[in-house]
Amino acid sequence: MLLTGRDLCNVFLAGVFLLLLSCRVISGVESDINCLRSIKATLEDPLGMLTSSWDFNNKTEGFVCNFLGIECWHPHESKVINIKLGDLGLKGQFPRGVVNCTSLTGLDLSSNGLSGSLPSDIIKLIPFVTSLDLSSNSFSGPIPRNISNCTFLNVLKLDNNKFTGQIPAELGQLSRLKTFSVANNQLSGPVPYFHNGTNNLDYAGNPGLCGGPLGSCQAAAKNKLSNDLVRVFKSYTVVMLGALGFGIGFVSSFFLFSSFDRTLRS
């Protein structure tokens, strides 16, 4: 049977499409393998958890899907969907190599010894992640404002770290967010208003936070001012009593009596 010009054209276009598709898959697989190579290379692994499991000499199809903590879209295709490396004793900074896991939807690095600040361009590294768990590490510095552009986030856990500064108000625009925890950090200022009504929130252990479920920021500011004035008064009194020649025992008794008197009056 003779093919018409249109048939030949369609066959040619179909061939080109399949070629481009196969190149994309191969490129994606290579990218994911490089992603894991980079993570292994940049994180310290004192317990040898990754060293013993992540063997890149294995060239079988989908071999990375058998790595510790790695989940793939399909067991025979090296397209990583989840990285779960919690509680493995890992150290180092946030692994920028995750940018090469282009299909990643979940990242769990909790309960390790990771430190340093989070990348300010974190949206470029994990644009499609729905669950990010960095809890129980030693991350510090501000929470990057850019994280509010990770619009697919359902879970964001940053608790038990050393984050400082304010929580970006823009996080309240994460319409899919269901769980948000920043407990036990060193954060201060007003908490975000979540437009979608997120109610699974944990702010405990940040005495400087206010607003929303934590109460008025004005009341918190007055309370802080009052406490600051008390501390200044105590310091000034200690200096004055010391200058007048009163000993430490007298000063301690003075403040003990003052505290007892305030208790009786309240």
Side-chain angles (χ1 to χ4, degrees):
M1 182 180 68
L2 294 176
L3 296 177
T4 66
R6 170 175 283 186
D7 292 333
L8 289 172
C9 183
N10 289 336
V11 170
F12 174 76
L13 291 175
V16 170
F17 174 77
L18 291 174
L19 178 62
L20 291 174
L21 183 61
S22 68
C23 288
R24 182 179 178 184
V25 171
I26 293 171
S27 174
V29 170
E30 285 293 330
S31 176
D32 285 50
I33 294 173
N34 290 333
C35 166
L36 301 184
R37 284 185 190 276
S38 176
I39 292 174
K40 183 179 180 182
T42 56
L43 293 182
E44 297 178 42
D45 182 23
L47 302 181
M49 304 299 286
L50 302 186
T51 303
S52 60
S53 172
W54 290 22
D55 181 10
F56 290 94
N57 294 318
N58 184 341
K59 301 299 181 182
T60 58
E61 189 175 6
F63 70 99
V64 300
C65 302
N66 296 316
F67 285 2
L68 174 67
I70 300 302
E71 295 179 358
C72 296
W73 284 98
H74 189 277
H76 300 300
E77 182 185 353
S78 299
K79 295 292 291 179
V80 177
I81 184 174
N82 282 315
I83 297 178
K84 298 181 177 180
L85 303 179
D87 199 18
L88 297 181
L90 302 174
K91 297 181 179 181
Q93 298 190 344
F94 186 90
R96 294 186 61 87
V98 294
V99 67
N100 290 316
C101 285
T102 55
S103 300
L104 191 66
T105 62
L107 179 61
D108 180 357
L109 300 174
S110 62
S111 301
N112 283 294
L114 303 180
S115 59
S117 58
L118 295 186
S120 58
D121 60 345
I122 194 168
I123 177 59
K124 296 180 180 179
L125 308 182
I126 52 171
F128 304 115
V129 161
T130 61
S131 177
L132 177 62
D133 188 352
L134 303 178
S135 61
S136 300
N137 281 285
S138 295
F139 288 114
S140 58
I143 298 173
R145 195 175 303 275
N146 195 268
I147 205 169
S148 63
N149 292 323
C150 297
T151 55
F152 294 97
L153 277 173
N154 293 316
V155 175
L156 178 56
K157 302 182 71 175
L158 304 174
D159 50 283
N160 295 291
N161 280 283
K162 299 177 181 179
F163 290 113
T164 55
Q166 294 191 4
I167 303 172
E170 291 86 350
L171 294 186
Q173 300 171 9
L174 292 171
S175 60
R176 293 180 172 86
L177 197 63
K178 299 294 185 293
T179 298
F180 178 60
S181 176
V182 290
N184 302 315
N185 281 282
Q186 300 164 26
L187 299 165
S188 60
V191 300
Y193 170 72
F194 289 93
H195 300 277
N196 65 340
T198 301
N199 54 18
N200 191 9
L201 305 169
D202 191 352
Y203 299 120
N206 294 279
L209 289 178
C210 61
L214 302 179
S216 168
C217 286
Q218 290 183 341
K222 289 181 180 178
N223 187 48
K224 181 179 184 302
L225 178 60
S226 176
N227 290 335
D228 289 344
L229 289 174
V230 169
R231 282 195 294 269
V232 170
F233 173 74
K234 284 185 176 180
S235 298
Y236 178 76
T237 304
V238 169
V239 172
M240 291 301 297
L241 291 176
L244 294 173
F246 294 100
I248 296 177
F250 176 84
V251 174
S252 299
S253 300
F254 173 80
F255 283 119
L256 180 63
F257 175 79
S258 298
S259 299
F260 180 68
D261 181 62
R262 282 196 303 272
T263 301
L264 291 177
R265 291 172 183 272
S266 61

